[in-house]
Amino acid sequence: MVDRRFWVGDGRQADFEAVFGAGGIWEEFLRRANGYINTDVKSESQVGRRYRVRDLWKSHQEYELFREQYAAKYEKLNQLLVAEGLIERQQLVGEYYVDDSGDGDDLVSAEG
C-alpha cells in the first residue's frame, strides 16, 4: 500500500475526488500496471481540504516496477495537477506491504 496525504486547492474538492476517486484519471493511470488493486480516497478534513489517498498493490515489487516504468508520466501528471491548482501540497505517509510471516504484524514498512 502507498499512503499519501493531499491538501487540495480552495474550492477544488469535487475536482480532486473526480480525479482520484473510482473511475478517475488516477485509477486509469495506475491500471496500466500489473499488480494494481485499487485506490481508497477519504476526506480527513473538509475545512482543511485534506485528503488521504491509499493505493493498494499486490506486492511492493510490482509497485516499484510501476514507479520505474512510469516515472516520467507520473511526474508530468503531478505537475499538471499542481499547475491547475488541484493540489497545494502532498505528503508521503508511508509505503507498506503485507507480511506473510504469520507473526501478527500484517503491514510492514517498505523501508525496512
Side-chain angles (χ1 to χ4, degrees), residues 1-2 59-61 63-64 67 92 94-98 107-112:
M1 170 175 50
V2 179
S59 73
H60 185 68
Q61 291 79 12
Y63 166 67
E64 287 298 330
R67 280 183 39 166
L92 177 64
E95 297 173 353
Y96 310 94
Y97 65 95
V98 175
L107 291 180
V108 178
S109 172
E111 296 179 5

Side-chain angles (χ1 to χ4, degrees), residues 9-63:
D10 192 19
R12 302 298 305 271
Q13 292 93 321
D15 296 331
F16 181 86
E17 290 174 15
V19 168
F20 284 90
I25 295 168
W26 184 248
E27 183 179 83
E28 183 180 311
F29 178 62
L30 296 182
R31 287 216 181 277
R32 299 175 184 184
N34 290 328
Y36 171 71
I37 298 172
N38 68 3
T39 296
D40 179 53
V41 179
K42 297 236 187 304
S43 172
E44 286 189 324
S45 169
Q46 283 296 318
V47 175
R49 302 182 321 269
R50 191 176 65 240
Y51 284 81
R52 196 74 169 261
V53 176
R54 294 179 176 113
D55 301 320
L56 303 176
W57 295 83
K58 289 181 184 173
S59 73
H60 185 68
Q61 291 79 12
E62 287 171 307
Y63 166 67

Side-chain angles (χ1 to χ4, degrees), residues 60-97:
H60 185 68
Q61 291 79 12
E62 287 171 307
Y63 166 67
E64 287 298 330
L65 183 59
F66 166 78
R67 280 183 39 166
E68 239 177 70
Q69 291 176 331
Y70 292 97
K73 290 180 182 180
Y74 171 84
E75 187 57 35
K76 187 175 181 179
L77 176 59
N78 190 55
Q79 287 175 357
L80 176 64
L81 295 174
V82 170
E84 291 290 323
L86 192 66
I87 297 171
E88 291 181 349
R89 191 174 90 173
Q90 61 182 296
Q91 171 191 34
L92 177 64
V93 176
E95 297 173 353
Y96 310 94
Y97 65 95

